[in-house]
């Protein structure tokens, strides 16, 4: 029974990794490729680790597998975010099927400042209410 | 955070005093420290609400794993089938999170769920720009993001 569960976990993990690499090849633009590659890959690694921990059934292996999963969960979103952000601001064209882009109008290419669309006046970028709340948080 | 620090310290004290340096004994120390802090938290303001966070953390983990599976299968289905069902786009998401740590956790968890990728935070830190892969139902997506944010803030605050 446990052999079967281990086999299922390992196979689904491996197929998620295959789908991640197929996604890099097939998907049309950089952000959608990041969707497929980093997250499905992380998911595949997580399931593989779960299978490994289950197969050995040992505390030492379990804690190592747990640590590996935690480190993957910490690093994967940061890598995806940094690559996606760099690609977007360098002007990589989005796929023509993209339905909307709410960032483009709020980004100033000359000063590299990014507005939220909630600014009360053009001079002050940080609204006073928000600034006050931040200071409260630190206390 | 200070509560967790004390929990670990109490566990180490338990291990040192009971004299058996094993993983199970450390786990027992963590549980006893947790119970001790649960009793103490009414009287120490810095520890307020510490014991409430563990059940919230567990329920959040379960919720997040469920979301992770659901979203992963959705992306996997679109990659594996020849026709594109996706409608990608960048949306502005107004955050309730304000401190650095809150924004970091929120954007990381949003990036971690397939189908949404956090691109950048606006300079006044009120809006998070998110690249979403499935914008068929934008209202539903915003509702899901709000729920995720609400659950994260319940653990952090």
């Amino acid at each position: 029974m446990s052999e079967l569960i281990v086999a299922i976990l390992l196979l689904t993990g491996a197929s998620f990794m295959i789908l991640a690499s197929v996604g890099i090849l097939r998907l049309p633009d950089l952000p959608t490729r990041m969707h497929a590659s980093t997250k499905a890959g992380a998911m595949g690694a997580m399931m593989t680790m779960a299978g490994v921990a289950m197969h050995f059934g040992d505390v030492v292996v379990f804690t190592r597998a747990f640590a590996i999963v935690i480190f993957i969960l910490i690093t994967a979103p940061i890598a995806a975010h940094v690559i996606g952000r760099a690609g977007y601001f360098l002007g990589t064209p989005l796929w023509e099927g993209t339905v909307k882009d709410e960032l483009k109008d709020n980004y100033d290419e000359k000063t590299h400042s990014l507005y939220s669309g909630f600014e009360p006046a053009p001079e002050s970028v940080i609204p006073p209410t928000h600034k006050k709340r931040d200071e409260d948080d630190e206390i | 955070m200070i509560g967790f620090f004390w929990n670990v310290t109490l566990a180490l004290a338990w291990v040192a005093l009971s004299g058996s340096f094993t993983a199970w004994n450390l786990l027992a120390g963590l549980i006893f420290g947790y119970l001790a802090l649960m009793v103490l938290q009414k009287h120490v303001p810095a520890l307020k609400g510490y014991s409430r966070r563990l059940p919230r953390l567990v329920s959040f983990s379960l919720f997040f794993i469920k979301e992770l599976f659901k979203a992963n299968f959705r992306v996997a289905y679109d990659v594996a089938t020849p026709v594109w069902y996706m409608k990608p786009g960048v949306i502005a998401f107004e955050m309730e999170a304000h401190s650095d740590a809150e924004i970091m956790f929120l954007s990381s968890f949003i990036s971690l769920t397939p189908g949404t990728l956090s691109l950048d935070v606006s300079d006044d830190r009120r809006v998070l720009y998110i690249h979403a892969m499935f914008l068929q139902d934008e209202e539903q997506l915003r509702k899901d993001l709000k729920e995720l944010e609400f659950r994260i803030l319940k653990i952090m605050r």
Side-chain angles (χ1 to χ4, degrees):
Chain A
M1 185 60 197
S2 92
E3 287 283 295
L4 187 71
I5 299 175
V6 169
I8 289 173
L9 279 171
L10 289 181
L11 281 175
T12 37
S15 33
F16 267 117
M17 285 184 175
I18 287 183
L19 278 170
S21 41
V22 172
I24 297 180
L25 280 175
R26 279 204 66 212
L27 285 163
D29 66 351
L30 184 117
T32 49
R33 281 179 183 168
M34 294 319 298
H35 283 299
S37 62
T38 48
K39 289 144 222 183
M43 183 88 181
M46 273 167 69
M47 296 186 81
T48 315
M49 278 301 129
V52 168
M54 204 160 205
H55 176 73
F56 286 100
D58 188 12
V59 183
V60 179
V61 178
F62 179 78
T63 47
R64 274 184 201 159
F66 188 72
I68 291 172
V69 167
I70 293 291
F71 277 112
I72 288 172
L73 286 183
I74 293 173
T75 49
I78 295 174
H81 159 72
V82 169
I83 298 172
R85 181 177 184 277
Y88 186 92
F89 286 111
L90 280 177
T92 318
L94 296 178
W95 184 42
E96 62 263 29
T98 304
V99 281
K100 70 196 291 188
D101 189 350
E102 290 181 355
L103 203 162
K104 205 178 166 195
D105 301 331
N106 289 316
Y107 178 61
D108 193 334
E109 280 183 18
K110 285 195 186 102
T111 56
H112 295 289
S113 48
L114 184 60
Y115 303 113
S116 63
F118 292 108
E119 282 83 7
E123 260 78 41
S124 59
V125 174
I126 298 168
T129 50
H130 178 226
K131 204 176 169 187
K132 192 162 163 278
R133 214 181 287 163
D134 252 1
E135 282 161 2
D136 286 346
D137 275 354
E138 280 170 18
I139 298 162
Chain B
M1 216 56 211
I2 193 85
F4 183 67
F5 169 75
W6 277 112
N7 204 340
V8 172
T9 314
L10 284 174
L12 289 177
W14 170 268
V15 168
L17 289 176
S18 60
S20 103
F21 292 86
T22 60
W24 293 114
N25 203 29
L26 185 69
L27 190 69
L30 279 174
I31 292 169
F32 289 136
Y34 182 75
L35 292 176
L37 289 176
M38 198 190 252
V39 177
L40 272 175
Q41 66 181 345
K42 279 186 198 128
H43 312 289
V44 185
L47 294 175
K48 212 159 190 92
Y50 176 69
S51 70
R52 269 204 322 246
R53 286 187 187 180
L54 188 71
R56 281 177 183 173
L57 195 67
V58 171
S59 87
F60 174 74
S61 312
L62 292 177
F63 163 80
F64 186 70
I65 289 172
K66 191 192 85 196
E67 290 289 305
L68 202 64
F69 268 87
K70 229 167 64 186
N72 247 315
F73 276 108
R74 205 171 173 198
V75 174
Y77 181 74
D78 207 15
V79 168
T81 49
V83 193
W84 295 129
Y85 294 100
M86 60 180 188
K87 280 192 164 63
V90 180
I91 61 168
F93 175 69
E94 203 180 341
M95 299 185 288
E96 303 277 327
H98 289 299
S99 70
D100 280 347
E102 283 166 10
I103 292 176
M104 186 198 80
F105 274 101
L106 176 66
S107 58
S108 293
F109 277 113
I110 284 175
S111 284
L112 210 51
T113 35
T116 49
L117 173 72
S118 47
L119 282 179
D120 207 352
V121 182
S122 69
D123 289 350
D124 59 0
R125 320 208 304 177
R126 286 179 69 179
V127 165
L128 182 67
Y129 288 98
I130 298 169
H131 184 276
M133 205 166 157
F134 300 98
L135 273 183
Q136 278 89 348
D137 194 350
E138 200 187 322
E139 286 303 309
Q140 185 61 40
L141 178 70
R142 281 180 192 272
K143 241 169 45 196
D144 289 348
L145 289 173
K146 270 270 169 254
E147 195 190 345
L148 181 71
E149 181 183 31
F150 176 70
R151 280 167 181 265
I152 290 173
L153 290 184
K154 239 172 54 177
I155 298 170
M156 304 278 301
R157 284 179 181 166

